[in-house]
């Protein structure tokens, strides 16, 4: 059966990681992989997670199954974080929440749900978008299209073109929106722009699929979901794929949730029942370890406050590195060409250079970015910022 099977090329991010590991240079800098790093360059376990994990293990009496919907207390806490404690949509009993294996699990289950309900719908994703959106959503069999989003050379949103594209999308199509900290551009919609998008979605009868993977990394837990809340209050139906990989640092525990908003309570129940059946057919039940930790943190005011502080310090570190790198680049180039790094949000920005320049940064300076020039600002440290700025500034100079 498998003799004719073609060997696929290595995943580009995993390939980049392997090249970075094999690079013997003491100067090497990893700006490729999308994980948070602290001042020592490590991806730490949060203190609140350590403490909650110990409490959780001490209280755990069984490893028996939980449920296809996951842990109820976690789902409830996740819903409150995203929609707020006074959500009008929740008050109308239109919200159902199912735990999922990471944001990726939630996105894939969402795509399967859409395919069951509307097999001919097209999902419109931003150009550019996170690379994994394509297999996660397209793998369900849904068609994908791109809407204009960002001009990498000018470092600005193409908002008018985005509106124009979405205004022409057929009713019943799906629009994938990054809730905050857009990956890979770091360029987010303003609140006013969210308002316009929400009105357009409602008017054109388009379904929002909101990808929320960085709540707390942009401006804070509440401001980062302002757009999500605006949209969910404006439209009859919505899907939100939530990830706790970054904001709780639980990456490998695979913790996420799918929030389904239905037109009414009955419709929401139907969506939930379909989601559970999809989950049973793919992974049966989500892993509980991360959900039990998160449930402890959500419920305990002391742990929760500690989490909010730790999250703030991660956010501040990224903001500081953004400011530091753009200052170094201002000094080194004598231009304000890199000021955009300071104003963009979250871990990522596109440097906006060619793939040859990305290769030159890697081969000559041992600085690793993704091929589209996406850089992870959490890989910048006070100790490497001058080196990185020098290398970026030298891209415009003739080769020695
Ligand atoms: C835009 C975006 N969505 C979703 C995810 C999902 O992450 P995970 O499945 O690890 O929770 C990520 C992670 O990198 C992401 O960048």
């Amino acid at each position: 059966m498998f003799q004719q099977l073609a060997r696929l090329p290595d995943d580009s991010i995993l390939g980049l990681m392997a090249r970075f590991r094999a690079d013997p240079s003491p100067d090497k800098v990893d700006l490729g992989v999308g994980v948070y790093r602290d001042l020592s360059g490590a991806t730490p376990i949060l203190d609140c997670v350590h403490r909650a994990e110990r409490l959780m293990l001490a209280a755990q009496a069984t490893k028996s199954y939980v449920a296809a919907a996951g842990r109820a207390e976690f789902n409830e806490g996740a819903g409150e974080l995203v929609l707020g404690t006074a959500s009008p949509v929740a008050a109308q009993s239109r919200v159902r929440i199912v735990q999922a294996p990471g944001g990726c699990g939630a996105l894939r289950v969402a795509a399967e749900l859409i395919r069951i309900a509307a097999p001919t719908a097209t999902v419109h994703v931003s150009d550019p978008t996170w690379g994994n959106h394509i297999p996660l959503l397209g793998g369900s069999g849904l068609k994908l299209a791109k809407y204009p989003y960002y001009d990498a050379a000018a470092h600005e949103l193409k908002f008018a073109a985005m509106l124009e594209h979405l205004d022409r999308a057929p009713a019943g199509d799906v629009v994938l929106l990054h809730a905050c900290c857009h990956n890979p551009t770091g360029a987010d919609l303003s609140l006013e722009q969210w308002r316009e998008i929400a009105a357009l979605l409602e008017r054109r009868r388009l379904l929002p699929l909101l990808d929320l993977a960085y709540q707390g990394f942009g401006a804070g837990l509440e401001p980062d979901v302002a757009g999500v809340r605006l949209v969910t209050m404006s439209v009859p139906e919505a899907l939100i794929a939530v990830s706790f990989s970054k904001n709780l640092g639980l990456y490998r525990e695979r913790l996420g949730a799918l929030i389904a908003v239905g037109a009414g309570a009955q419709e929401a129940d139907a969506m939930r029942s379909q989601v559970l059946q999809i989950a049973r057919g793919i992974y049966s039940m989500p892993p509980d370890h991360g959900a039990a930790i998160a449930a402890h943190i959500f419920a305990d005011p002391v742990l929760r406050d500690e989490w909010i502080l730790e999250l703030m310090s991660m956010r501040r570190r990224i903001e500081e590195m953004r400011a530091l790198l753009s200052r170094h680049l201002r000094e080194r180039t004598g231009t304000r060409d890199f000021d955009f790094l300071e104003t963009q949000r979250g871990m990522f920005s596109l440097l906006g250079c060619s793939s040859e320049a990305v290769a030159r940064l890697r081969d000559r300076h041992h600085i690793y970015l993704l091929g589209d020039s996406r850089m992870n600002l959490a890989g910048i440290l006070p100790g490497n910022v001058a080196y990185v700025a020098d290398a970026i500034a030298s891209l415009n100079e003739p080769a020695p």
Side-chain angles (χ1 to χ4, degrees), residues 70-376:
R71 182 173 280 268
E73 317 89 90
F74 161 76
N75 288 335
E76 204 177 309
E80 286 187 4
L81 263 176
V82 176
L83 298 174
T85 45
S87 159
V89 223
Q92 292 161 356
S93 191
R94 291 167 46 209
V95 179
R96 302 292 180 272
I97 305 171
V98 171
Q99 189 190 319
C104 289
L107 283 164
R108 182 52 178 259
V109 168
E112 297 292 338
L113 178 69
I114 294 165
R115 193 188 47 79
I116 290 169
T120 58
T122 294
V123 184
H124 300 257
V125 301
S126 62
D127 181 17
T129 195
W130 178 46
N132 214 20
H133 278 148
I134 310 302
L136 278 171
L137 304 172
S140 68
L142 290 169
K143 285 192 298 292
L144 300 183
K146 287 180 179 169
Y147 58 82
Y149 185 74
Y150 184 74
D151 182 336
H155 313 293
E156 57 189 31
L157 288 178
K158 293 181 179 172
F159 188 63
M162 173 183 179
L163 286 180
E164 203 184 308
H165 174 104
L166 295 180
D167 215 8
R168 285 195 315 260
D173 271 4
V174 182
V175 184
L176 182 105
L177 296 159
H178 297 228
C180 63
C181 306
H182 186 276
N183 181 2
T185 70
D188 286 342
L189 300 176
S190 68
L191 210 51
E192 191 41 48
Q193 289 170 329
W194 273 110
R195 262 188 212 107
E196 283 189 59
I197 290 289
L200 185 150
L201 294 168
E202 197 265 337
R203 178 166 46 83
R204 300 285 309 152
R205 304 170 64 83
L206 299 167
L207 178 87
L209 168 54
L210 296 143
D211 182 358
L212 176 58
Y214 298 94
Q215 188 178 2
F217 269 57
L221 281 175
E222 287 282 309
D224 287 353
V225 285
V228 169
R229 291 183 188 173
L230 245 167
V231 168
T232 44
M233 281 192 278
S234 310
V235 294
E237 300 176 329
L239 294 170
I240 312 168
V242 192
S243 165
F244 289 94
S245 299
K246 311 288 152 80
N247 60 9
L248 276 168
L250 283 171
Y251 308 85
R252 66 173 64 165
E253 303 299 352
R254 314 305 302 131
L255 184 61
L258 179 62
I259 302 182
V261 179
Q266 269 180 14
E267 291 85 349
D269 282 337
M271 289 166 86
R272 182 177 189 274
S273 71
Q274 295 278 350
V275 166
L276 294 182
Q277 179 154 302
I278 294 164
R280 290 289 283 156
I282 308 179
Y283 51 82
S284 187
M285 303 199 191
D288 181 55
H289 193 82
I293 292 171
H296 259 88
I297 295 172
F298 296 163
D300 179 331
V302 176
L303 285 174
R304 197 186 163 94
D305 284 351
E306 196 177 338
W307 175 45
I308 291 170
L309 285 177
E310 291 189 271
L311 189 53
M312 193 196 306
S313 93
M314 291 196 278
R315 181 172 67 246
R316 294 252 162 94
R317 201 189 95 65
I318 299 168
E319 284 167 1
E320 280 164 18
M321 292 305 112
R322 283 183 171 281
L324 198 60
L325 180 60
S326 68
R327 203 187 73 214
H328 273 268
L329 282 163
R330 214 157 33 235
E331 287 164 10
R332 181 71 174 73
T333 64
T335 72
R336 305 192 78 92
D337 291 355
F338 295 94
D339 282 12
F340 70 94
L341 290 173
E342 188 166 356
T343 47
Q344 293 181 341
R345 291 270 170 84
M347 295 206 295
F348 309 115
S349 281
L350 288 178
L351 196 50
C353 61
S354 65
S355 54
E356 291 77 32
V358 170
R360 212 162 347 130
L361 284 174
R362 187 186 61 227
D363 300 337
R364 202 178 291 166
H365 303 283
H366 313 277
I367 298 172
Y368 290 72
L369 271 63
L370 299 197
D372 61 358
S373 83
R374 186 191 86 171
M375 59 195 301
N376 176 4

